[in-house]
Structure formats: C-alpha cells, structure tokens
Amino acid sequence: MRSLLFILLTAIGCTACSGTTEDKWTKDRPKTYPVTGTVTFEGKPLEGATIVFQSTGGTPQAAVGRSDKEGHFQLRTFKDGDGAIAGEHTVAITCIKTEGPPEGANLDEVNVVIKETSLIPPIYGDVKKSGLTATVKADQENQVTFDLENKK
C-alpha cells in the first residue's frame, strides 16, 4: 500500500513539475514580444508615468508599463516583462501626483481630500488624441522613446 501511495504521489508531483502551465486561459493568448523604453518630459526623465500601448490591429489587446526614476519602463500584457503583441499601437501616457491627508493622520478626525494633479499635459493620456504611436515587431526586442513636451 505504501509503495502504491508513493507511486501515485510521485506521478502527481512529476505532472505538476513538468513545466506545463498552459490552461484554457493561457493557450489562446496572442504571442507577445519584449518592449522597453524611456519617457521624458521637457528633456527630463519622467518618473511614475503609466504607459499604455493599445493595439490597433485585429486583436484588441493593451500592454502597460510604469516608468522608474530614470524614465525607463518595461511593458507587460499578461505577465511581468512579456511585452506587447506585434503590430501598430496607439499610446497613452499619464503621470499623476496624488496628495492626501498626511501619513499617519487619524482619518476619523480629518477632512479627507485627495488632490490629483497631472504632471504632463492631459492630452497625452488620451489614446485617441495623444498623437503617440509605436510599432512592435515580432521576434525581436523593441526599444521605444517618448520625448514629451508641454503642448500649449
């Protein structure tokens, strides 16, 4: 009986460790390609920006990234660093500063006001009006740069 239990547990363990993680939710996903880039505003790295690539082709799929203090970002569609699907994309970029009550404040005793301020012109956050586009090419890493300016 013990040997039968050992064989059964070993078989389950081998199946679980076989590297096959594909299921009905992942098997039909479109292929993605790595996309990294840099975003600047008025010539300076833009930290904390959210970058959204929206595909314009047959598969409506978005990829998202967030910039670090040097303005560098990496896109993800389904998992960290997987990139975006191949093809043409319209791009939206937002960078919002959020201010609220001081850290540690008793929220029962203060008037909670959250103030959001866009650090870049809001038009960049509209995928239809930003004027930003990018092409993601299959079977290669893609590097993009967005140099944003104050649109007046």
Side-chain angles (χ1 to χ4, degrees), residues 20-151:
T20 304
T21 58
E22 193 168 58
D23 58 23
K24 69 179 184 175
W25 304 109
T26 59
K27 71 177 183 173
D28 294 328
R29 287 180 178 169
K31 187 159 175 48
T32 56
Y33 303 92
V35 179
T36 59
T38 304
V39 60
T40 63
F41 180 63
E42 304 263 308
K44 297 177 184 156
L46 187 60
E47 179 181 6
T50 300
I51 299 91
V52 179
F53 277 41
Q54 179 62 55
S55 64
T56 60
T59 305
Q61 188 65 57
V64 179
R66 185 122 172 130
S67 63
D68 63 16
K69 64 181 177 180
E70 287 88 30
H72 300 141
F73 65 90
Q74 183 177 42
L75 293 183
R76 74 171 282 155
T77 298
F78 303 109
K79 61 183 181 178
D80 284 344
D82 65 347
I85 64 172
E88 299 297 318
H89 297 261
T90 52
V91 178
I93 300 175
T94 57
C95 191
I96 307 293
K97 177 182 173 186
T98 304
E99 296 176 77
E103 192 171 323
N106 183 341
L107 299 181
D108 291 331
E109 296 175 1
V110 297
N111 184 13
V112 178
V113 176
I114 297 175
K115 180 181 176 188
E116 292 184 337
T117 306
S118 181
L119 300 178
I120 61 175
I123 194 166
Y124 287 120
D126 186 334
V127 75
K128 293 178 183 174
K129 297 179 182 176
S130 71
L132 304 172
T133 61
T135 302
V136 175
K137 296 183 180 176
D139 297 321
Q140 70 180 47
E141 287 197 31
N142 297 273
Q143 180 78 30
V144 294
T145 300
F146 298 104
D147 297 314
L148 309 180
E149 296 180 3
N150 201 359
K151 294 183 176 188

